[in-house]
Structure formats: C-alpha cells, structure tokens
Amino acid sequence: MNLQIRDPRARDLARQLAEKRKISMTEAVIEALQSELEREREQVPLTERLAAIANDLKAKGRSGGRDLTKDEIDEMWGHS
C-alpha cells in the first residue's frame, strides 16, 4: 500500500526527513509519528507538574510560621 501525501508542505517535510535518514518517505512518516506519540505518552500533565512543585516548596518551608495580618501584607506591598 502506498502512502499518498497530498499536502505539499507535509510531502516536503517527509521528503527532507527521508533524505536525511536515507529511508523511504513512508518510513520517515512512520518514524516521525511514532516519535510524536512516544513524546505525548511521556508528557506529564501540567497539574501533576505544578503539584510536584508545590509539594517541593512545602517540604522546603519552615514549620512554625504564622499567618500575616492584613496590615503586614499591605506594608509588604507598599500599601501603607
């Protein structure tokens, strides 16, 4: 079965990759698609990345702190 690529840009990109790797255009397309699918599978969702950062910062924070008053927050931001 032949792979038909009608989009000129897609055809050009497949041709470039095939030439660089010295493979057929079909193999180039398959490899590119496999690579992208693997990249998608390995991608960690943003919510998980942010949760990890939050947990890391929480672990680094000192215990025994106290809540700031509104006046302290305003002073910190220059809203005296």
Side-chain angles (χ1 to χ4, degrees), residues 32-80:
L33 292 172
Q34 283 177 331
S35 176
E36 281 303 302
L37 286 170
E38 183 63 29
R39 212 172 74 145
E40 285 290 325
R41 278 192 289 273
E42 292 174 356
Q43 191 171 9
V44 178
L46 178 60
T47 54
E48 289 180 27
R49 294 193 317 257
L50 291 175
I53 292 169
N55 290 335
D56 184 47
L57 291 174
K58 186 176 180 181
K60 289 179 182 178
R62 295 186 306 171
S63 62
R66 64 175 180 80
D67 291 336
L68 294 174
T69 66
K70 181 178 180 338
D71 289 338
E72 290 172 318
I73 293 170
D74 286 344
E75 182 180 333
M76 185 172 57
W77 286 100
H79 300 282
S80 302

Side-chain angles (χ1 to χ4, degrees), residues 3 5 10 14 17-18 23-34:
L3 176 67
I5 303 175
L17 184 59
I23 57 177
S24 72
M25 285 178 56
T26 300
E27 289 172 306
V29 170
I30 290 169
E31 286 182 13
L33 292 172
Q34 283 177 331

